[in-house]
Amino acid sequence: MKKILTFFLLAFAITAANAYEENYWPRSYFIGAGMGILATTGDLNERPITVKDTSGNKMKAYPPDISLMGNPEFFVGVNIREFTLAVAFQYWKESQELVKLSTEESCRYWRLGFEFTYNFFWPDYFQIGLGGGFSYTSLKTENSAFNGEKFHDTEFMGSGLALIANVQYFFNNNIAIVPSVKFYRNWFKNVYTEDSENRDLDPYLWQTFISGSIALQFQF
């Protein structure tokens, strides 16, 4: 994680240095919100996970068998010349079927991401952005960990790297519509239940997320 954050800070520093040399700092800030669809596949969709509780007894955690779900997104950021730095937050909650079980339980997903993109054709009203990001993800499901007597909630936590492609079309100097596609490669390295508390996963659970959305952005 430290290496990823260092990369983004270095990229920002290089951008700032170049702008300073040219004595030219065109900046703008923006906020936005959008809605899309999230598709996912990977280790979470394949099997229950064996977890030891605080007494050393084994229990089963049943991940949600997610294939598609809604994906609202909220973001804020800054444009410095043709570069964009942003913080994005995704959140959704719906019922999902548990892996290897026929029951559905409430599942809550959220992701906090830090993103960096380069905008081709800047400063035109039509721009294409390509970049990457780093994010933290939480996936919590009710009544999905069985200790032999009753079910408890399960929360999987981890990080991910992203590839990002978007289009910004400005209707005027302030308002833009932004369709985007984000490809996340996520590794879940921790799981939490009431009986086991926080446990490291070995090996990590790898999951691929693909997000497609369209957002409205206000720039000032």
Side-chain angles (χ1 to χ4, degrees):
M1 179 175 177
K2 291 182 179 179
K3 292 182 179 179
I4 302 299
L5 293 177
T6 300
F7 168 77
F8 284 106
L9 290 174
L10 180 61
F12 177 79
I14 292 174
T15 304
N18 289 338
Y20 179 79
E21 289 178 1
E22 298 177 13
N23 196 26
Y24 187 51
W25 278 80
R27 283 178 293 175
S28 62
Y29 303 89
F30 61 87
I31 59 174
M35 183 66 189
I37 295 294
L38 186 75
T40 179
T41 184
D43 291 340
L44 291 176
N45 302 87
E46 294 182 356
R47 63 190 183 280
I49 308 302
T50 300
V51 181
K52 289 185 178 181
D53 64 19
T54 53
S55 300
N57 299 317
K58 292 183 179 180
M59 55 188 295
K60 289 289 188 180
Y62 296 86
D65 191 12
I66 299 172
S67 55
L68 290 173
M69 65 189 305
N71 188 39
E73 185 171 33
F74 311 91
F75 52 88
V76 297
V78 57
N79 297 310
I80 304 175
R81 291 176 56 89
E82 63 267 44
F83 297 94
T84 295
L85 297 173
V87 177
F89 181 71
Q90 302 169 357
Y91 180 91
W92 188 249
K93 188 175 183 180
E94 67 177 38
S95 294
Q96 293 285 345
E97 185 173 305
L98 302 182
V99 171
K100 303 300 181 181
L101 295 179
S102 58
T103 59
E104 288 191 357
E105 297 292 343
S106 178
C107 176
R108 183 221 63 197
Y109 158 90
W110 66 261
R111 180 188 299 272
L112 178 66
F114 302 90
E115 302 174 353
F116 176 84
T117 55
Y118 179 89
N119 301 303
F120 295 90
F121 310 123
W122 175 88
D124 293 346
Y125 279 93
F126 177 85
Q127 300 174 29
I128 297 175
L130 295 176
F134 175 81
S135 63
Y136 177 82
T137 306
S138 169
L139 188 63
K140 183 178 181 180
T141 312
E142 296 180 358
N143 303 316
S144 54
F146 187 61
N147 64 3
E149 297 179 357
K150 60 181 180 179
F151 281 88
H152 294 289
D153 298 350
T154 305
E155 183 176 8
F156 291 95
M157 297 161 283
S159 304
L161 295 176
L163 295 176
I164 301 168
N166 63 30
V167 171
Q168 298 183 80
Y169 180 78
F170 288 86
F171 296 104
N172 53 43
N173 290 331
N174 302 110
I175 299 175
I177 189 169
V178 187
S180 66
V181 175
K182 300 180 182 181
F183 176 92
Y184 300 96
R185 187 58 173 161
N186 222 96
W187 58 94
F188 288 95
K189 59 182 180 179
N190 299 99
V191 60
Y192 176 88
T193 73
E194 182 179 340
D195 286 345
S196 67
E197 299 182 349
N198 193 54
R199 294 284 180 175
D200 293 335
L201 291 169
D202 185 18
Y204 293 168
L205 301 179
W206 290 87
Q207 194 79 2
T208 299
F209 295 85
I210 301 176
S211 167
S213 66
I214 186 166
L216 190 65
Q217 175 178 298
F218 180 76
Q219 180 174 281
F220 53 93

